[in-house]
Structures are given as structure tokens and as C-alpha cells.
Amino acid sequence: MKKKFYNSDLLKNREAAVTMNYIIRLANENDLSGLCDSRNNKDLFTNYLKQFAKKELYLVIAEQDALILGFGVLKLKGTLLPKLSDLYVKEDYRGNGIGSDLMRYRENIAKSLGRSEIFVSVDPIENPNMIKLISKHGYEPISYL
């Protein structure tokens, strides 16, 4: 699915966006332990942080009182770019807008990089809730595989 940007709003401060009682921000090396607490995959997050250092992707987290509630990736290397990837919110915190805020934050990064469209790939059978979320945010299918 893809979404075209029709306005030129740029994220003025990519360092942190405060939303209700949690913050959305770019991840750093100090977040590795908290990321592993949310999804136990140290190799994945170590790789993401290395790619982030090379500016191949952005790793964004939602945090409340030093607890990572969720994360998402904006990929800048590969096919169909930029691409929203690997959105995850801890089960106890779902339904509070965290996933939507993580999506908007990554979209704003893409806009600030001068991108006019953004992609996301989702298996509609495996993840129907993600299809609902991205459709709500204006993403349209480009193909069904």
C-alpha cells in the first residue's frame, strides 16, 4: 500500500514529539534493553541500530516513564521507499493511539526528507488489524499478492 503526501508540512523537531502521557522519539543505543523487553530479539534491534547509524532507516519508539510501549521503523534502503516497517505496540497499550502516533511521526520524517509518497507492506490475511490502521491513515493498495 502507498500514501502520497499532498502538503508540505515538515516535522519541525524530529527529536521528540510529546503525545498525551507518552513521548515519541528516535531510538538510540541506550534503548536496546527496553526494545528487547518489548520484543525479545536482540539481533534484530542491534541490526536496526547499526542501520540507523548508517542512515539506512529510522527507529522510532513510544516511551512512558522509561518504559518502551512500542516502536516502528522507517526504511530508506531497499525497494518501494521510504517504507513503514515493523510497527509494534505492547498488547496492554494497544487501542490508545500509540500505533497511529508512531505512523505519523515516521511519515513526518519522510516528509522532512523531501519524500512525496510512502509505502507499507502488510499481509492482509496475517495482519488484518494493520490493514485497518493503515487504511484509516489514507494508504491505498497498489497490488495484492
Side-chain angles (χ1 to χ4, degrees):
M1 300 184 102
K2 83 173 178 178
K3 178 179 183 178
K4 267 196 177 294
F5 298 125
Y6 294 103
N7 59 38
S8 61
D9 294 349
L10 298 179
L11 181 64
K12 292 179 175 67
N13 179 4
R14 286 190 299 184
E15 294 302 313
V18 178
T19 309
M20 293 175 50
N21 60 349
Y22 57 90
I23 188 170
I24 306 290
R25 66 172 175 84
L26 298 175
N28 62 56
E29 303 82 31
N30 297 327
D31 296 315
L32 183 59
S33 176
L35 285 162
C36 289
D37 287 344
S38 66
R39 186 196 275 167
N40 189 15
N41 194 336
K42 186 175 182 179
D43 290 341
L44 174 73
F45 294 117
T46 300
N47 189 39
Y48 278 164
L49 289 168
K50 286 178 186 175
Q51 289 178 292
F52 183 35
K54 293 191 254 178
K55 302 203 185 301
E56 295 174 353
L57 60 76
Y58 285 86
L59 178 57
V60 176
I61 63 170
E63 177 183 55
Q64 180 183 52
D65 300 325
L67 174 67
I68 295 178
L69 309 177
F71 63 89
V73 173
L74 174 67
K75 291 186 176 184
L76 302 174
K77 187 175 180 183
T79 57
L80 296 176
L81 299 172
K83 182 175 9 180
L84 298 180
S85 175
D86 212 6
L87 178 65
Y88 178 79
V89 176
K90 285 184 174 182
E91 194 169 336
D92 291 346
Y93 299 95
R94 293 178 186 165
N96 293 305
I98 296 168
S100 290
D101 287 340
L102 286 165
M103 286 185 66
R104 282 189 287 271
Y105 193 89
R106 292 177 295 157
E107 287 174 347
N108 284 333
I109 291 171
K111 287 184 217 178
S112 74
L113 295 171
R115 303 301 179 102
S116 62
E117 58 186 16
I118 192 165
F119 298 87
V120 61
S121 59
V122 179
D123 182 328
I125 295 168
E126 295 284 325
N127 202 344
N129 289 336
M130 187 63 171
I131 296 293
K132 289 179 193 173
L133 179 64
I134 61 178
S135 296
K136 177 177 119 178
H137 285 273
Y139 288 83
E140 299 174 359
I142 55 175
S143 70
Y144 293 100
L145 301 176

